[in-house]
Amino acid sequence: MNWQEVKKVAKEKLKPYCRVCPVCNGVVCAGEVPGMGGVGTGSSFKANIEALNRYKLNLSTIHEVRQPDTTFKLFNETLSIPVMAAPITGSTYNMGGAITEEVYCEEVISGSLMAGTIGWTGDGADPLMYGSGIEAIKKNNGKGIPIIKPRAQDEIIRRIKLAEEAGAIAVGVDIDGAGLITMALKGQPVSPKSPKELEELVKSTSLPFILKGIMTLREAKIAYEIGAKAIVVSNHGGRILDHTPGVAEVLPEIADSLKGKLTIIADGGVRSGVDVLKMLALGAEAVLIGRPVVVAVFGNGREGLKLYFNNIKNELSQTMLLTGVSSVMNVPRDILRG
């Protein structure tokens, strides 16, 4: 199957939760939470796309680059591309349930590995959600990263131990999940965390700890100070708070202050290899991709995801060649205009 065929199958399976639009930009699905849209007006989801689109690339073809290097190292794991599958749960109430939670997690982890990269798994109101991710990671020799909602401390630590037992590469909390409507509807208490509480979580595990959902320099600094090994600059796909800026808008300020001190990952609006290179130029070291991963998996399982990531790799390599970038580990900001 080619990508267009994958999208066609996914469109049928995801009705009416996702229309698999020609451009996944949050316009048609605005306000559809639960579902695949952005909360409220959908402004935050749309802002992620708009912020990336404001940047243009400087075409450059007078240089020595012949074979761009797309490999990236995360916590001693070498990945074929600096691109990973974002943690997404809720197959039934966000995606329509044509694929079960267990199968979705298995396909994301396996498909990511087939493409030479890593899948992240999530947490949700149903215990099956986090457990499905842990089982998929365990089946694949720990090659995955589980992310936990900001629950009560003891509940997070219990889930961290499950990640350790599964041999996971790292573990983390999506702190922005404190505002999830779907969690509230299911009676699952989540809340913001103090720096002291986050430090307790970091110290509870020997695994690298990731704090996902950072959108300000102040909170990025807190993440560094409490010992997080990585942050994900993210507004949760625009599903938490209406009218936030786009990720590409806040990323440079955070990267200028903290790059080299901890790993900076960007999550918000990345749809192509071109978008990946833009995020790297703005200071990220890697990116997460969410909604298109859902489309890939619903369209053709792990093979669909492998195809999508391979397409991203080819686009990224071509874009590097045409901007004079030799390695994803060193992407200068001056390839951008805007």
Side-chain angles (χ1 to χ4, degrees):
M1 294 177 76
N2 61 34
W3 182 237
Q4 290 306 316
E5 290 169 333
V6 169
K7 288 173 69 176
K8 185 177 180 181
V9 172
K11 190 169 187 176
E12 288 302 312
K13 287 186 177 180
L14 286 164
K15 279 182 178 177
Y17 292 79
C18 174
R19 285 76 162 179
V20 190
C21 299
V23 179
C24 179
N25 57 15
V27 173
V28 176
C29 56
E32 295 182 4
V33 180
M36 297 291 285
V39 72
T41 66
S43 152
S44 299
F45 178 175
K46 289 179 276 190
N48 283 335
I49 307 296
E50 292 161 359
L52 267 175
N53 285 345
R54 279 194 287 272
Y55 289 99
K56 306 303 177 186
L57 292 168
N58 291 317
L59 174 65
S60 173
T61 52
I62 303 176
H63 52 70
E64 302 299 323
V65 179
R66 296 296 179 269
Q67 292 184 311
D69 183 2
T70 64
T71 58
F72 165 70
K73 198 166 187 177
L74 177 71
F75 306 138
N76 297 318
E77 296 287 331
T78 300
L79 310 184
S80 65
I81 47 174
V83 182
M84 295 168 282
I88 297 177
T89 58
S91 174
T92 52
Y93 56 76
N94 285 324
M95 311 169 206
I99 294 177
T100 66
E101 201 77 31
E102 301 99 312
V103 170
Y104 179 77
C105 290
E106 287 175 10
E107 299 303 294
V108 166
I109 296 297
S110 297
S112 296
L113 288 172
M114 286 166 61
T117 186
I118 293 293
W120 296 31
T121 60
D123 183 18
D126 186 338
L128 179 67
M129 295 174 181
Y130 186 73
S132 295
I134 289 293
E135 285 304 310
I137 291 169
K138 194 181 294 184
K139 284 180 184 176
N140 287 278
N141 302 311
K143 302 294 186 182
I145 297 175
I147 299 295
I148 305 162
K149 290 286 175 281
R151 304 167 175 273
Q153 292 291 96
D154 60 337
E155 285 294 322
I156 295 175
I157 290 171
R158 184 174 70 81
R159 285 168 173 79
I160 287 174
K161 298 308 174 190
L162 293 174
E164 292 174 344
E165 291 166 12
I169 292 166
V171 70
V173 168
D174 52 346
I175 191 66
D176 54 352
L180 266 180
I181 294 171
T182 48
M183 292 293 287
L185 290 174
K186 299 287 183 177
Q188 296 283 314
V190 289
S191 65
K193 294 289 181 183
S194 69
K196 186 177 180 180
E197 287 173 312
L198 291 172
E199 189 171 17
E200 179 188 11
L201 299 177
V202 171
K203 289 181 176 177
S204 75
T205 181
S206 59
L207 292 176
F209 188 87
I210 302 168
L211 201 55
K212 180 178 180 291
I214 300 295
M215 285 292 286
T216 67
L217 177 57
R218 182 184 73 84
E219 294 203 336
K221 287 179 176 178
I222 290 172
Y224 171 66
E225 288 161 3
I226 58 104
K229 296 300 181 187
I231 58 171
V232 181
V233 182
S234 172
N235 63 7
H236 213 97
R239 295 170 61 77
I240 296 294
L241 177 66
D242 208 359
H243 298 289
T244 72
V247 168
E249 191 174 341
V250 303
L251 176 60
E253 180 183 18
I254 292 170
D256 287 346
S257 178
L258 291 171
K259 193 164 186 178
K261 295 181 179 179
L262 77 179
T263 301
I264 299 173
I265 301 166
D267 167 42
V270 174
R271 300 290 180 263
S272 66
V274 171
D275 291 336
V276 174
L277 195 65
K278 286 181 181 182
M279 285 294 201
L280 300 185
L282 292 170
E285 291 159 79
V287 306
L288 298 180
I289 299 181
R291 292 172 177 93
V293 167
V294 172
V295 171
V297 170
F298 272 69
N300 195 26
R302 62 192 67 185
E303 292 291 344
L305 185 53
K306 178 187 176 185
L307 172 66
Y308 178 69
F309 278 145
N310 283 344
N311 287 347
I312 291 285
K313 181 179 180 180
N314 291 336
E315 291 167 359
L316 174 59
S317 183
Q318 181 74 353
T319 308
M320 292 169 70
L321 192 68
L322 294 173
T323 52
V325 177
S326 62
S327 169
V328 295
M329 303 296 286
N330 183 23
V331 182
R333 193 166 297 172
D334 64 10
I335 67 166
L336 298 178
R337 188 176 188 89

